[in-house]
Amino acid sequence: MSDMSATVSSTTNGFHIEGYEKITYDFRFIDNIFDPKHHDLADCYHSWGRCLVVIDDNVYKMYGQALENYFAVHNIKCTVKVIQGGELRKTMKTKLEILDTFAEFGLVRKEPVLVIGGGVLTDVAGYACASYRRTSNFIRIPTTLIGLIDASVSIKVGLNHGKLKNRLGAYHAPLITFLDFSFLKTLSQGHIRNGFAELVKISTVAEKTVFDLLDKYGEELISTHFGYLDGASEEVRKAAKQINYIGIKKMLELEVPNLHEIMLDRVIAFGHTWSPTLELTPPIPLRHGHAINIDMAFSVTIAWKRGLITIEERDRILRLMSRVGLTLDHELFTIDLIWKATKSIMLTRDGHQRAAMPNPIGTCTFVNDLTYEELEQDLKEHKALVKTYPRAGAGVDAYVDQSDYMEIHDGDNMVLTKALNGELLVEAVSSTLSSSLGMNLKTIAAEKAYRSAIM
């Protein structure tokens, strides 16, 4: 929540206003939050006697009964709005659907909406709350790794506008964010890997202790869903808890002094110089974690070329990324896209590049003098380098979920897809999209080889 203090004073030709906004909000770690023995969530709604829940459809399928039983046990009337999740639903249409639900429910100004889902849903629903009656309260329960350790840490909410990533949004803090890592038990491995990239991000430029743990336990963290699957060793469980706690704490320490991004040299923007343009460029969009990893991998090569890190550090970072199945490069990651993205991000960063890079692992520096010629030369070397890695640098589960793209329109073109025995098949595609989709299918073939190798 937030409180304002302000003064009004007269000037020679008008008035001067000086105001300060106090923002307070909490994070609470609670595993199995829908267990009726936990009162924390219910305590937020007892005074209202009811709760409006906006929840991701996949989460509702798995946890809807437990959610409704929880509120029934605590004698709180629960109204549920199920929203289809996924990156392609991070749109104004989804936001308006949620706003209509608020109106139908008769939401009271300070009554908190309960938002349950991954980073996409918490972003869009949070933006709806920021907009409704100009500001409405909400409580967040992120259910994906990327939501738990990244999206939930910021007070930024928003949505995509066409191919422009997170172009519309606001700064709007929830009252409380409940961090329940037990959701990872039922999360797909692709989503685990997606969130892992955010931990690579923060550790590479800000927290070497976490980087060392990721490097030591990377594959086991992925395969055991950060220790939440049966059979995970106590050593891995302990390491996962340490990684998550320190990672979130470091993110908060970096983000909280700059909640409204007034200071634009942002350490946590590592991996976010070129990825906002790249992520939505393929007909089937990249997962966010893979998009930022491509950006980070290229940044690591540039950092090495500039003498900011050693060749040993470069290889250690790239090996970790590759070992856990993150994408190192992409066919559409070209010098033209990179230069376009550079000019675009400079508009966001007040005319400067502010490209975050490791200097060395665990610390950060900002680069502002990248030229077209340097980027072009470094990109050639980077692409040659990553081709020597497994899968030629391709990632595993790099594209948005099957549920995200049952029907994708790209202008006048349409791609229809379906799943058969867990494999993506392209049913129909126009010639203008064939090269990019051919690349996607090559990636899928690489994923099959990867899975065969580790099974």
Side-chain angles (χ1 to χ4, degrees):
M1 63 182 297
S2 59
D3 294 303
M4 289 291 297
S5 62
T7 59
V8 179
S9 56
S10 297
T11 63
T12 55
N13 61 349
F15 303 96
H16 174 73
I17 292 88
E18 191 167 326
Y20 300 90
E21 183 179 18
K22 179 183 178 182
I23 300 173
T24 62
Y25 56 106
D26 293 314
F27 292 83
R28 296 185 197 172
F29 290 88
I30 301 177
D31 274 1
N32 303 305
I33 193 167
F34 301 139
D35 186 330
K37 71 182 181 184
H38 296 309
H39 291 261
D40 302 65
L41 179 58
D43 289 346
C44 299
Y45 291 96
H46 275 309
S47 63
W48 297 99
R50 65 177 190 168
C51 174
L52 173 60
V53 180
V54 178
I55 187 170
D56 176 276
D57 60 335
N58 287 320
V59 178
Y60 185 73
K61 289 172 188 174
M62 286 184 280
Y63 295 97
Q65 186 173 349
L67 167 72
E68 291 173 2
N69 179 67
Y70 175 86
F71 282 111
V73 168
H74 290 281
N75 296 311
I76 297 169
K77 183 179 179 181
C78 177
T79 300
V80 177
K81 173 63 177 178
V82 178
I83 295 290
Q84 190 171 0
E87 190 67 35
L88 295 179
R89 306 306 188 283
K90 195 173 185 180
T91 62
M92 183 62 73
K93 182 179 179 181
T94 303
K95 178 189 173 185
L96 294 175
E97 181 182 352
I98 295 170
L99 290 172
D100 287 342
T101 299
F102 294 172
E104 292 165 7
F105 181 75
L107 188 69
V108 178
R109 181 70 174 266
K110 293 190 176 182
E111 181 178 10
V113 178
L114 179 58
V115 180
I116 306 172
V120 169
L121 181 62
T122 57
D123 275 2
V124 179
Y127 189 24
C129 291
S131 305
Y132 193 69
R133 301 190 191 278
R134 296 187 179 86
T135 181
S136 296
N137 289 330
F138 74 115
I139 292 171
R140 220 168 20 188
I141 302 180
T143 59
T144 62
L145 182 57
I146 205 167
L148 285 158
I149 53 90
D150 181 69
S152 70
V153 172
S154 169
I155 68 168
K156 293 184 294 183
V157 292
L159 49 84
N160 301 332
H161 179 54
K163 290 284 187 179
L164 303 174
K165 177 74 175 176
N166 291 331
R167 186 55 58 93
L168 305 178
Y171 299 99
H172 187 53
L175 298 179
I176 300 173
T177 298
F178 289 106
L179 300 172
D180 182 354
F181 280 87
S182 70
F183 283 114
L184 300 187
K185 188 171 185 177
T186 55
L187 194 65
S188 72
Q189 198 167 100
H191 276 295
I192 298 291
R193 187 177 291 107
N194 192 38
F196 194 100
E198 291 287 356
L199 289 166
V200 172
K201 176 192 78 174
I202 196 63
S203 65
T204 300
V205 290
E207 188 55 71
K208 189 173 183 296
T209 299
V210 171
F211 185 90
D212 290 340
L213 289 169
L214 295 175
D215 196 20
K216 182 176 181 179
Y217 296 105
E219 293 91 337
E220 289 180 90
L221 290 167
I222 299 289
S223 64
T224 67
H225 293 213
F226 276 67
Y228 277 93
L229 291 188
D230 295 339
S233 70
E234 187 57 37
E235 183 180 358
V236 168
R237 293 180 195 273
K238 182 179 178 181
K241 289 183 182 297
Q242 187 178 1
I243 288 167
N244 292 331
Y245 182 86
I246 297 174
I248 291 172
K249 185 173 184 289
K250 177 57 69 173
M251 290 274 281
L252 286 169
E253 288 171 350
L254 291 168
E255 188 79 352
V256 167
N258 192 33
L259 283 175
H260 291 87
E261 297 183 356
I262 295 169
M263 197 278 287
L264 297 176
D265 284 343
R266 301 173 60 243
V267 174
I268 63 173
F270 178 50
H272 291 71
T273 297
W274 305 294
S275 65
T277 299
L278 173 65
E279 184 172 339
L280 300 180
T281 295
I284 299 174
L286 285 161
R287 278 182 162 148
H288 180 69
H290 287 267
I292 69 165
N293 201 79
I294 293 166
D295 187 312
M296 292 189 294
F298 184 44
S299 298
V300 165
T301 295
I302 296 172
W304 164 64
K305 290 281 292 179
R306 286 187 164 223
L308 302 175
I309 59 174
T310 65
I311 192 169
E312 291 79 16
E313 288 177 306
R314 180 202 73 180
D315 292 345
R316 188 182 179 201
I317 297 168
L318 295 179
R319 276 197 302 266
L320 170 60
M321 293 170 170
S322 178
R323 280 165 40 209
V324 300
L326 289 169
T327 308
L328 301 180
D329 189 28
H330 195 281
E331 212 170 65
L332 299 180
F333 194 58
T334 63
I335 184 57
D336 289 341
L337 182 143
I338 289 168
W339 194 242
K340 174 185 174 183
T342 301
K343 291 188 287 186
S344 176
I345 203 66
M346 288 175 68
L347 299 176
T348 299
R349 297 175 180 172
D350 209 20
H352 299 281
Q353 294 173 354
R354 306 180 196 269
M357 296 187 183
N359 181 32
I361 292 175
T363 61
C364 184
T365 193
F366 296 94
V367 172
N368 286 295
D369 59 348
L370 292 165
T371 64
Y372 182 97
E373 291 73 24
E374 179 184 359
L375 289 167
E376 184 177 36
Q377 181 57 41
D378 288 354
L379 183 64
K380 289 177 183 177
E381 294 191 39
H382 178 69
K383 286 184 176 291
L385 173 64
V386 300
K387 283 187 183 300
T388 67
Y389 279 77
R391 308 176 306 279
V396 179
D397 298 319
Y399 296 90
V400 294
D401 284 348
Q402 175 68 20
S403 61
D404 288 345
Y405 52 79
M406 290 304 295
E407 187 174 296
I408 300 175
H409 293 264
D410 184 70
D412 294 328
N413 306 306
M414 184 172 72
V415 183
L416 300 177
T417 66
K418 70 176 183 179
L420 181 63
N421 297 325
E423 185 174 345
L424 175 67
L425 298 178
V426 176
E427 297 240 300
V429 55
S430 74
S431 59
T432 58
L433 297 181
S434 59
S435 62
S436 292
L437 283 163
M439 171 272 300
N440 288 356
L441 294 173
K442 283 187 280 185
T443 301
I444 291 163
E447 291 179 13
K448 290 179 67 179
Y450 173 84
R451 292 193 179 100
S452 298
I454 64 174
M455 289 180 65

